[in-house]
Amino acid sequence: MPELPEVETVARDLAAQALGRTLTGVIKLDWPRMIEGADEAGFRAAIEGRRIEAVGRRAKWVVITLSGGLWLGVHLRMSGSLVVYDADAVPDVHTHLVMGLDDGRRLWFRDVRKFGRVRLMDAKALQALDDKHGVEPLSEGFTPERLGGILKDRSTRIKPLLLDQALIAGLGNIYVDEALWLSRIHPLRPAGTVSVDETTRLHGAIQEVLNRSLTLGGSSFRDYRNGYGQLGGNQVTFAVYQRGGEPCQACGTPIQRLVVGQRGTHVCPTCQPLG
DNA sequence: CATTACCTGCAA
DNA sequence: TTGCAGGTAATG
């Protein structure tokens, strides 16, 4: 899914629409396997009557703070969306969870591929979620030096390393390919061979591609929708992602598609030399 | 480190 | 019909 800019956009959209609202209960739940942290009955009972006190993001999780010390974590994985609709909207077969709000509107979780998850958490589970994720790449703590420390002495190829949520939280396949192109680093480079200059470029490129996408409301490659059900606008800015065969916008060389760590990967062989 | 599994839809 | 899709966890 949705990587950091998309999840952040959804969280902001939900905050704008549902902050202070109370959940009246579960209106539809037809795929109980997506619920974690409680069984179906427990989940239904737990959310009813809870007020939405905050909506934020950690890594690729939307984190909804409920009254009474309970949190809902929503992971959209590949195809999920989390949207507020009016009461008269009719959920389709892919909408697996609908929760009522006390103003009559409804919060839908839709997920064609059913990989997404809704996790009911207490304070301890929330802490565990936080602990298993690495530095937020748009936070003050993410400095070029911090990135250098993550890359240092590692023989792992740079792309799978950047996708490791335990090290840096929120990057996915799109923004890793885009950031590596922008910093002119080949995805197969062993992380430890990336120079200080390149690390500085990569740090700036990661923040640039994420911030650009945030400004445009995220990238709708396929299923992504924001918290209003609308498409994002950042997909038109892709330099390499899903552009295999097209000329590199910097040098004209055809963009190559390869597979790295089982993921489709897009690279300009001229701008991002391997050897 | 690589492979498999989880699911469905869509384009080639 | 086959392969591919933005993610992650579990398993050799």
Side-chain angles (χ1 to χ4, degrees), chain A residues 186-265:
Chain A
H186 196 284
L188 289 172
R189 287 274 300 281
T193 70
V194 173
S195 71
V196 172
D197 278 359
E198 289 174 321
T199 301
T200 302
R201 288 210 305 266
L202 177 59
H203 172 269
I206 288 170
Q207 295 199 325
E208 182 172 336
V209 299
L210 295 176
N211 278 319
R212 177 194 301 149
S213 183
L214 265 176
T215 302
L216 293 172
S219 303
S220 289
F221 167 65
R222 195 167 197 157
D223 298 300
Y224 167 69
R225 298 293 183 279
N226 68 17
Y228 298 90
Q230 303 160 332
L231 297 169
N234 185 65
Q235 56 280 6
V236 303
T237 74
F238 293 163
V240 288
Y241 182 74
Q242 286 295 317
R243 294 196 186 280
E246 296 181 32
C248 171
Q249 59 183 248
C251 75
T253 306
I255 300 300
Q256 271 180 3
R257 182 184 185 278
L258 49 152
V259 175
V260 178
Q262 326 309 122
R263 312 298 304 279
T265 298

Side-chain angles (χ1 to χ4, degrees), chain A residues 16-29:
Chain A
Q17 297 178 92
L19 214 56
R21 299 266 65 89
T22 294
L23 294 171
T24 58
V26 172
I27 294 169
K28 174 181 181 179
L29 175 53

